[in-house]
Amino acid sequence: MEPSPSTRRRAGAVALLTVLWLLAALLLLGWTFAIGIQGWADQHGNGGADPAEPSRRGSWVLLSLYLTAAGGPVVIAVVAFAGRLMRTGAVYLSLALLLGAFGLPFGEAAARDLVPPPPVPSAPGGCQEHSGGDTRCPGG
């Protein structure tokens, strides 16, 4: 029994989405590597660059990689289920769950690195009484 033309189109859409998903993940993985190499070169070359900048960019790219790696199979599974390719959709949904669970610590760490630290509390203000009964403020 030969598949119908509509089934072939659906399978073609799933194949195209798979190729695009893999290319996007590989591109982001390469970008992450390039940022790491750049940070390493700045650290060892005394380039004078802000050491937090490669870390911030790396966190953005790593978070994007996690969302792409886990979210891509979800999109492909939805397209497969909509095209009535149930087994294919189940495989991609399982892959999404596996990649999401595996990458969760990395995605969570990258998201945590992107949140700015809370501001440092300032020193207590106001005048303090000094020994000897002097109530003047320090410094004036």
Side-chain angles (χ1 to χ4, degrees):
M1 183 170 143
E2 193 168 315
S4 69
S6 63
T7 303
R8 276 188 263 164
R9 272 190 305 237
R10 294 177 199 142
V14 168
L16 178 65
L17 286 173
T18 300
V19 168
L20 291 175
W21 166 64
L22 290 173
L23 287 175
L26 286 174
L27 177 71
L28 288 170
L29 190 61
W31 194 7
T32 303
F33 181 74
I35 289 172
I37 292 296
Q38 181 185 10
W40 177 81
D42 286 345
Q43 181 182 12
H44 292 291
N46 295 329
D50 180 19
E53 179 59 28
S55 175
R56 232 182 337 271
R57 284 187 299 144
S59 293
W60 274 112
V61 174
L62 190 61
L63 185 61
S64 300
L65 177 62
Y66 170 67
L67 293 175
T68 300
V74 171
V75 172
I76 297 169
V78 168
V79 170
F81 283 132
R84 296 188 181 145
L85 300 170
M86 297 303 168
R87 283 184 279 176
T88 304
V91 167
Y92 277 103
L93 193 57
S94 300
L95 184 62
L97 292 173
L98 180 71
L99 290 173
F102 174 72
L104 186 62
F106 301 106
E108 191 270 332
R112 190 175 355 128
D113 287 345
L114 294 172
V115 175
V120 177
S122 62
C127 295
Q128 297 177 354
E129 187 174 335
H130 297 275
S131 62
D134 187 12
T135 59
R136 289 182 298 146
C137 292

